[in-house]
Amino acid sequence: SQQGEEDPQALSIQEGENATMNCSYKTSINNLQWYRQNSGRGLVHLILIRSNEREKHSGRLRVTLDTSKKSSSLLITASRAADTASYFCATDEVQGGSEKLVFGKGTKLTVNP
Amino acid sequence: EPEVTQTPSHQVTQMGQEVILRCVPISNHLYFYWYRQILGQKVEFLVSFYNNEISEKSEIFDDQFSVERPDGSNFTLKIRSTKLEDSAMYFCASSVTGPNTGELFFGEGSRLTVL
C-alpha cells in the first residue's frame, strides 16, 4: 500500500504568507516525520510527531496529527524565500515489525520574495 | 556536527557495469539505510541494515543489489550489473534507534547515471 501521500504536489506563495502541506497515510503508525529537501540535496529531518500526540511545534513549524483520519499537516508560518524546498512526510508501519520509513511524493514549495 | 558522508557524489557508468556506492554513517548510529530517488520522483526505500545484517528490503532490492559494512565504519551499496533504470540519486541514512522511534540522518546523495 502507498504510505504518505502529500498534497498539494506544488505550492507557490509570497514571502510572509503561511504554507500548509498535508499528508495522508494508510496503515497504523508509531510516528510520522517531516523532512525537507533542497533541490539536489539530501533530506533533512524537521520534526517527529508520535501517534499519541496531536500537535507539535518547532520554531515556525507546526505539525498536527489526526490518527482517526490518518492524516497530518505541516504549517510553516511567516514563510521566507529560504523555505523554498520539497517537503516530505514519512511514516513507519506498525504491522509486521517494519524497519523502514516510507516517504510520500512530497510537496514542492516555492516562496517568492 | 556529525554527518553522513557519501562518495562519489556523481558516477557515470555503462550499462552492465558494477557500481559501488560508499557511505560513512554517523559513528554512534546503529541502523543504516539506502534510499533512492529517481529525478523528480519520490524517495524510495531500498534496504535497512542492523546488527550486521539486512533487517528489511524492498522489492526494488533484488539480487543485483547487495550491502555490506566491511570495516565497522563504511556502509556500501553494490549494484552488480547496472541497468538504465538504475539511474537515480542514492541516499544513505543512519539512525541511533530504529525508524519507529527516531529520526534518520541523510547524506547528500550519490548521483548514478547509467548510459
Side-chain angles (χ1 to χ4, degrees):
Chain A
S1 64
Q2 189 86 325
Q3 280 286 71
E5 294 287 336
E6 294 93 338
D7 83 270
Q9 289 187 353
L11 180 62
S12 181
I13 59 174
Q14 295 300 123
E15 212 164 22
E17 294 180 340
N18 295 341
T20 300
M21 289 158 270
N22 302 297
C23 167
S24 60
Y25 58 92
K26 288 186 164 55
T27 69
S28 296
I29 60 172
N30 291 299
N31 70 67
L32 184 143
Q33 305 185 33
W34 284 91
Y35 287 77
R36 166 196 167 122
Q37 183 183 36
N38 286 3
S39 182
R41 305 293 299 274
L43 289 92
V44 176
H45 180 262
L46 294 175
I47 198 164
L48 180 154
I49 185 165
R50 304 201 184 282
S51 59
N52 62 353
E53 296 176 309
R54 291 296 165 257
E55 187 170 314
K56 204 158 180 182
H57 296 253
S58 176
R60 293 185 295 114
L61 305 181
R62 174 180 164 241
V63 168
T64 62
L65 179 65
D66 186 337
T67 52
S68 67
K69 294 181 180 175
K70 291 187 167 57
S71 68
S72 172
S73 67
L74 170 67
L75 168 69
I76 304 174
T77 59
S79 63
R80 304 166 183 166
D83 294 328
T84 295
S86 291
Y87 292 82
F88 295 87
C89 70
T91 52
D92 66 336
E93 295 180 0
V94 172
Q95 61 203 36
S98 175
E99 290 285 343
K100 66 184 180 192
L101 269 188
V102 178
F103 286 80
K105 293 181 181 177
T107 292
K108 188 169 182 178
L109 173 67
T110 303
V111 181
N112 301 299
Chain B
E1 187 173 321
E3 58 181 17
V4 175
T5 56
Q6 290 186 241
T7 54
S9 56
H10 189 190
Q11 181 154 357
V12 181
T13 190
Q14 295 291 324
M15 194 168 55
Q17 294 296 304
E18 176 183 283
V19 159
I20 296 176
L21 305 178
R22 292 184 168 79
C23 169
V24 179
I26 295 173
S27 61
N28 64 331
H29 286 191
L30 301 176
Y31 293 78
F32 314 108
Y33 315 84
W34 283 100
Y35 284 81
R36 80 171 186 191
Q37 184 179 33
I38 295 171
L39 187 63
Q41 298 188 26
K42 67 187 299 181
V43 178
E44 299 175 293
F45 170 79
L46 293 179
V47 65
S48 57
F49 192 88
Y50 170 72
N51 202 24
N52 282 319
E53 59 183 27
I54 290 174
S55 47
E56 189 160 353
K57 59 184 181 180
S58 71
E59 292 173 355
I60 302 168
F61 195 89
D62 62 21
D63 292 345
Q64 292 301 311
F65 290 86
S66 62
V67 289
E68 200 176 34
R69 190 158 158 79
D71 55 13
S73 62
N74 290 286
F75 179 52
T76 61
L77 174 70
K78 182 194 288 187
I79 308 174
R80 225 176 308 278
S81 177
T82 50
K83 308 183 189 104
L84 294 175
E85 55 264 36
D86 293 328
S87 293
M89 184 77 98
Y90 288 80
F91 292 103
C92 173
S94 67
S95 61
V96 177
T97 60
N100 55 357
T101 56
E103 67 179 278
L104 272 58
F105 291 79
F106 282 81
E108 291 291 337
S110 292
R111 181 174 297 284
L112 176 64
T113 302
V114 182
L115 303 176

